[in-house]
Structures are given as structure tokens and as C-alpha cells.
Amino acid sequence: MSPKSLISFHWLAIKLRCSSKYVGDYCEYPNPCLTGLGRCQNGGTCQGSYRNDRLSISCICPIGFSESLCEIPVKNACDSSPCKNGGTCNLNTLEEYTCACVNGYTGEHCETQNICATSPCRNGGTCTSVSGGTSFKCICPKGFKGHTCVDDVEECKLNPCKHGGTCLNTHGSYQCMCPGGYTGKNCESKYVPCSPSPCQNGGTCRPSTGLTYECKCREVVITEVLADAVVQSKCLNKNVHARKTQRINAKYSGEGYFKVIPMSSL
């Protein structure tokens, strides 16, 4: 067999894989499932083909239906409507099924009411079924009240803020604006400078006068290595080559910052 004949033989042996829009040995015909030649019913899956010089379809039927277009129901376990309270019967086989229950019901046949399934308790409340599942009770978290925990507790009515603090009600809680000299959730504690220390980077806090404080920052000596930098100036359109060696002394200054002081200025 010549190489040309061998190529032709292999070409004929290859069955083209068409996209879902076309059928035929060379994908030359529109898929009849998409052109209205026939429609599978009751959720059947349509498969188009081209055989014996004609377009045709076949249907893969779901459980419970048969015939060419899945139009004929087959006797099955869901015919007796076993699922209660609006549940949907789904066939596993013609004899076996499962019930998909609507929200608020549970059980093999959706026969048990689960009133907490609708999450009636708000703001993180915990729902508990009572009276045989016909009603519910909400256990509300701190800061909320009411049958479904939607009401905010106004803690400021109890005057929780001490030493003249001003109470501000918030969603589910409250906040005390403390006068000078007091701190804490309810302004119950005297403010002591440096307790705890607000100074950062190892600084030492020292009380000064009244309610103020000072941070004494630790000193660190750093030796800068030789650095080469080429800086391009856009204004002058030229390169400036800078070479500089400098020993510096670094001091932490303020809260969380440090400044660099050349040795020559010390």
C-alpha cells in the first residue's frame, strides 16, 4: 500500500467528534435536537444523529418515564405522593425514593415540623422548639431581647458609667466616654500613666505631671557601609554619581519612629 493510500485509509478510519451543534460523519448537519425535529419530554436528554441518510433523535429518559420521547409515565413509588407538607418525591429506582422537604419540615416523608429551620432568632440568638414542635423559643445573646432577639437592650438606662462618664448606646452594647483621670469599660479605674507603657521600640515610659508621660528612647549606634548610588536627574537630564561613606548615630525618637543624626553633629 502506497503512503498516499495509507493516509486515505487512516482518514476513513477516523470518526470525527462533532460539537453539540452538529452531527454526521463530517459534522455537516445541524443537530436535530436543536432544530425542532423532536423534543424529549419530562426531562429526557436528547441525542441527535445522522444514519441511513436521515436525521434522527433518541431520548434518554429519566426514571419513571419511557417511549421514544419519554412521554409515557411508568408506574413507580412516587405515584402515591408519599412526601408530605409540600415535599418533592425523587426516584432512585422505580421502587425507591427520597423526599426533598421544604424549609420548616424534616423526616423521611417530611412529616415532622422543624420550626427552627427558618432561623427565626436574630442577632445570633439560639432557637429551641417547644410545644411539640409547634412553636419556638429564642435564647438571646447579651445585648438583645424580645421574642426573636430583634430588640436592642438600652444599657445606658442602668447608668453603667462611673465617675461622671457619658454612656453611648450601641447595637447590642454600649460605650462609656470617661472623664480625664479614669479609664475602663465603665470608667471604674483611675488612669495611671505608663500602666501599661505606651512607648514603643523598647522605650522607657516615665510619668511626668498629672496624666501625662514621657518616653525615653533607647540609643543605637549604627555604622553605615560604603554605598554607591547613581541618581538620574530628570530636570538636568544627566547622571549624578554619588559616593559617600558616613558613620551615623541612630536614635529612636517619639513613639515608634527614629531619626538619624550624623556623628559630626554630636
Side-chain angles (χ1 to χ4, degrees):
M1 183 179 292
S2 66
K4 185 176 181 180
S5 299
L6 184 61
I7 293 174
S8 299
F9 174 79
H10 281 295
W11 171 254
L12 292 174
I14 295 175
K15 181 176 177 61
L16 297 179
R17 178 174 295 180
C18 304
S19 71
S20 61
K21 295 182 179 181
Y22 298 95
V23 296
D25 292 337
Y26 302 100
C27 307
E28 69 271 35
Y29 301 108
N31 189 336
C33 290
L34 306 177
T35 59
L37 180 61
R39 287 290 184 270
C40 300
Q41 302 177 26
N42 298 301
T45 302
C46 182
Q47 291 187 328
S49 62
Y50 181 78
R51 294 190 182 95
N52 301 323
D53 297 327
R54 61 189 294 265
L55 293 169
S56 63
I57 69 167
S58 60
C59 294
I60 301 175
C61 300
I63 300 174
F65 297 93
S66 66
E67 297 303 321
S68 59
L69 297 178
C70 309
E71 72 273 23
I72 304 299
V74 178
K75 187 176 181 180
N76 60 77
C78 285
D79 290 341
S80 61
S81 301
C83 304
K84 310 301 181 183
N85 299 304
T88 302
C89 184
N90 297 317
L91 287 172
N92 300 324
T93 67
L94 291 176
E95 296 80 23
E96 297 179 356
Y97 64 90
T98 55
C99 289
C101 303
V102 297
N103 199 16
Y105 291 91
T106 187
E108 183 179 359
H109 299 100
C110 309
E111 72 281 4
T112 304
Q113 187 177 23
N114 181 14
I115 201 166
C116 285
T118 58
S119 301
C121 304
R122 307 302 180 187
N123 296 306
T126 303
C127 180
T128 303
S129 295
V130 296
S131 302
T134 60
S135 186
F136 67 91
K137 178 182 179 181
C138 290
I139 301 175
C140 302
K142 186 177 181 180
F144 296 97
K145 63 180 181 178
H147 182 59
T148 56
C149 306
V150 295
D151 300 325
D152 179 64
V153 174
E154 296 185 15
E155 294 89 351
C156 290
K157 289 184 177 180
L158 300 177
N159 298 318
C161 304
K162 309 300 181 183
H163 301 106
T166 301
C167 184
L168 299 177
N169 188 63
T170 61
H171 184 67
S173 187
Y174 68 95
Q175 182 180 3
C176 288
M177 308 298 292
C178 302
Y182 292 94
T183 187
K185 171 69 177 178
N186 297 316
C187 309
E188 71 280 4
S189 302
K190 281 193 174 183
Y191 173 71
V192 179
C194 298
S195 179
S197 175
C199 303
Q200 302 181 22
N201 297 308
T204 302
C205 184
R206 292 181 178 178
S208 53
T209 59
L211 305 176
T212 62
Y213 62 88
E214 294 180 347
C215 288
K216 180 175 177 58
C217 303
R218 63 189 181 93
E219 295 184 359
V220 180
V221 177
I222 303 175
T223 301
E224 187 182 82
V225 299
L226 183 67
D228 289 334
V230 177
V231 181
Q232 183 175 0
S233 172
K234 294 183 179 180
C235 297
L236 301 178
N237 194 24
K238 66 179 181 179
N239 290 332
V240 179
H241 183 257
R243 178 184 295 268
K244 189 176 182 181
T245 303
Q246 176 180 297
R247 292 190 63 218
I248 60 173
N249 183 64
K251 289 185 177 180
Y252 282 99
S253 175
E255 297 182 21
Y257 299 90
F258 68 90
K259 63 182 179 180
V260 178
I261 304 175
M263 291 292 290
S264 58
S265 65
L266 296 178

